[in-house]
Amino acid sequence: MVKYYKFLIAAFLLLVVFLGYINYPKLNIITGFAAKNACSCIFEAGRDLELVETTDNNFDPVSYATNKVNYQHKTVTSTIIGLKERKAVYNKGIGCILLPEEKTEEEISIPRPARQFHPKSLPYPYGNLDPVDSTFANINYIMLEQAINNAFDPNEEDIKRTRAVVVLYKGHLIAEKYGPGINSDTKLLGWSMTKSITSAILGILEKQGKISLYQDELFESWSKDERSAITLDNLLQMNSGLEWEEDYSTISDVTRMLFQEENMAGVQLSKPLTGIRGVTWNYSSGTTNLLSAFIRNQFKTHQEYLDFWYKELIDKISMHSMTLEPDLAGNYVCSSYSWATARDWAKFGLLYLNKGSWHGEQLFKESWVDYTTRPANGSKGKYGAHFWLNAGGKYPNIPTDLYSCNGFQGQHVFIIPSKDLVVVRFGLAEHPQFNVDTFLYEILETIE
């Protein structure tokens, strides 16, 4: 009997060692996510560690990480049972950066963008004053309030997990609501909504005559192979044909990029063609970071690149709360890392609803919005130029002209031109757990 128990113990220990061996590489991703996200939530968005651990990082397996905050040096260090320690460091103006295992915060030096903080003395959304009280005769405000309330969890059910909703109608704020610990001044992570910011920047560069949608020979390292034929249009529509694996549940191209690479554009840049250019659609965060590098190449200096995003778009439309976070190469992580209030994200939606016009100034051509909302080849009507579409009828009760910025865990800026409507929703649960079709339908039903 003693030998039997010894055998069982030995077998159990071997199993533990085996499971540890095969899962150890994943710890790099888990602790990397935990450290980076906690750092940004605490030092960029102003939340405390307890709130972060019970909301932002409260999902498996990230919730198993132990996080330690150094408020003096503005760092967060995360581990799992003392294994695979990862650290993220905050720098004002550029947010948080996940450090490579072999580097310390003292070794990191990235220039800050110059900001144009000139608040406009206009009511929100065009300025920074309080919104004007507006009443539209064709809106049932009692029903609207109920529709917004339905997007939030009653009695701490923790199912819908909505954090913020903002609704603009005809350029006026008609409704907003926030969850516990969140208000109109709280910065929230846009995740892949940052991809749509990247599209807007390219639209501005196109209007300024600095780029062309159908230009090829985008990168010198592609000049001698078939990738030289890839156009800017192909990258924007995610049908370049480049190899990419977008799987967050394991060690894949996207998780290696976000949590292990110093230069995030380099991952997609080195990938071969495995599909047909202009035909094979494949959603790729690597492609967006490659576009960030392409944008960088349009400027003589790195400082010009950093400043352009704020000067020509973000601060111009008074999205003063927004921070774009870079990688260690100093390029913005356009696939994933942007922070702003829900109200400021609504301004971005309004810019598109107004066909690129902001308070009388045309930031990008009206034709750029038409291009953005044209279904990409291979996407089955669900994707345009770094915006998601309803052209294929994913949301059956919503007009097919809806298009949106979408991000991980249910971050959305919905633009519905036929209804003159912008709806922003931030949360920690996504469709279908949070039913987008029902959410938008209930709002639309309040407008005659």
Side-chain angles (χ1 to χ4, degrees):
M1 184 64 70
V2 173
K3 289 183 178 180
Y4 176 73
Y5 282 120
K6 285 182 178 180
F7 173 79
L8 286 179
I9 292 171
F12 175 75
L13 290 175
L14 284 173
L15 178 62
V16 170
V17 170
F18 174 72
L19 292 174
Y21 174 77
I22 63 174
N23 286 290
Y24 184 75
K26 294 182 182 179
L27 298 183
N28 205 11
I29 308 302
I30 297 168
T31 55
F33 185 106
K36 167 65 184 67
N37 203 41
C39 179
S40 293
C41 286
I42 292 167
F43 295 111
E44 183 63 41
R47 296 200 273 281
D48 61 50
L49 180 60
E50 182 180 2
L51 181 61
V52 173
E53 291 183 333
T54 56
T55 54
D56 302 84
N57 282 8
N58 189 24
F59 63 96
D60 293 340
V62 174
S63 59
Y64 293 108
T66 300
N67 308 293
K68 182 179 179 181
V69 184
N70 185 318
Y71 289 95
Q72 180 181 354
H73 294 101
K74 292 183 169 55
T75 64
V76 173
T77 303
S78 301
T79 64
I80 291 184
I81 58 173
L83 299 174
K84 190 55 73 174
E85 181 177 285
R86 298 299 304 274
K87 180 186 287 188
V89 59
Y90 171 78
N91 284 281
K92 186 176 181 180
I94 60 173
C96 286
I97 294 177
L98 184 64
L99 300 178
E101 293 177 89
E102 68 278 5
K103 287 190 177 181
T104 65
E105 56 265 34
E106 289 80 11
E107 298 176 77
I108 305 303
S109 179
I110 296 174
R112 300 177 186 176
R115 300 296 299 266
Q116 306 291 322
F117 293 118
H118 301 302
K120 295 180 175 63
S121 297
L122 295 169
Y124 175 85
Y126 290 105
N128 297 86
L129 301 180
D130 290 338
V132 174
D133 289 334
S134 303
T135 302
F136 293 90
N138 62 322
I139 294 178
N140 186 323
Y141 285 92
I142 296 175
M143 286 181 59
L144 178 61
E145 181 179 7
Q146 185 58 53
I148 302 303
N149 287 339
N150 289 344
F152 290 79
D153 283 313
N155 304 319
E156 300 182 358
E157 289 180 1
D158 200 32
I159 297 173
K160 298 174 182 177
R161 305 188 75 189
T162 297
R163 312 184 88 177
V165 171
V166 173
V167 183
L168 302 184
Y169 177 65
K170 296 185 181 295
H172 293 263
L173 178 67
I174 61 168
E176 66 180 332
K177 182 178 173 68
Y178 300 93
I182 308 295
N183 58 48
S184 61
D185 294 321
T186 302
K187 291 187 179 186
L188 296 160
L189 176 56
W191 284 113
S192 285
M193 295 205 301
T194 322
K195 292 178 170 71
S196 301
I197 295 286
T198 309
S199 182
I201 290 295
L202 288 163
I204 292 169
L205 287 169
E206 192 258 356
K207 180 178 182 294
Q208 294 179 357
K210 296 176 180 177
I211 62 170
S212 170
L213 257 181
Y214 302 103
Q215 69 183 84
D216 53 17
E217 300 281 353
L218 300 178
F219 298 96
E220 185 177 351
S221 62
W222 292 357
S223 62
K224 295 181 180 180
D225 60 57
E226 55 189 344
R227 295 175 299 175
S228 64
I230 294 173
T231 64
L232 185 59
D233 169 59
N234 297 148
L235 295 180
L236 272 164
Q237 295 198 330
M238 298 285 189
N239 56 17
S240 67
L242 290 169
E243 179 184 79
W244 187 261
E245 183 184 16
E246 187 91 4
D247 185 350
Y248 291 86
S249 65
T250 187
I251 299 174
S252 67
D253 290 328
V254 69
T255 53
R256 279 192 295 266
M257 177 187 71
L258 289 175
F259 305 114
Q260 292 180 278
E261 295 294 329
E262 296 188 27
N263 183 345
M264 297 193 191
V267 183
Q268 184 76 96
L269 183 66
S270 64
K271 292 291 185 180
L273 275 175
T274 55
I276 302 172
R277 183 182 66 83
V279 176
T280 306
W281 188 85
N282 183 32
Y283 183 79
S284 165
S285 289
T287 289
T288 311
N289 289 329
L290 190 57
L291 285 170
S292 181
F294 171 81
I295 294 169
R296 166 63 186 92
N297 291 342
Q298 310 312 304
F299 299 92
K300 292 181 180 179
T301 69
H302 198 78
Q303 191 65 52
E304 288 178 293
Y305 157 81
L306 293 174
D307 296 348
F308 186 86
W309 300 65
Y310 291 99
K311 179 182 177 182
E312 299 297 333
L313 174 63
I314 295 168
D315 288 333
K316 182 162 284 190
I317 65 172
S318 299
M319 290 181 73
H320 295 317
S321 70
M322 177 163 276
T323 297
L324 300 175
E325 294 178 312
D327 61 16
L328 280 162
N331 293 339
Y332 293 127
V333 184
C334 298
S335 65
S336 313
Y337 294 152
S338 59
W339 293 80
T341 64
R343 278 192 176 189
D344 273 1
W345 273 108
K347 294 178 183 180
F348 183 68
L350 185 60
L351 173 67
Y352 270 83
L353 185 67
N354 291 340
K355 291 276 191 175
S357 175
W358 189 259
H359 206 245
E361 182 178 358
Q362 197 73 34
L363 274 62
F364 43 80
K365 299 175 185 176
E366 289 190 19
S367 59
W368 185 263
V369 181
D370 298 331
Y371 162 71
T372 296
T373 55
R374 187 171 71 234
N377 289 340
S379 75
K380 298 180 180 180
K382 65 182 179 182
Y383 204 76
H386 272 48
F387 278 76
W388 293 89
L389 312 180
N390 197 39
K394 178 179 180 178
Y395 307 125
N397 293 302
I398 309 304
T400 54
D401 67 338
L402 173 144
Y403 61 107
S404 61
C405 321
N406 292 0
F408 175 59
Q409 293 186 315
Q411 323 315 321
H412 296 285
V413 176
F414 298 106
I415 303 144
I416 311 178
S418 59
K419 301 298 182 180
D420 215 347
L421 197 68
V422 173
V423 180
V424 173
R425 185 264 178 176
F426 275 86
L428 293 169
E430 56 190 55
H431 188 82
Q433 181 180 349
F434 175 84
N435 194 304
V436 167
D437 188 62
T438 299
F439 167 63
L440 293 175
Y441 176 75
E442 289 182 351
I443 292 174
L444 289 171
E445 282 292 283
T446 70
I447 304 173
E448 295 179 4

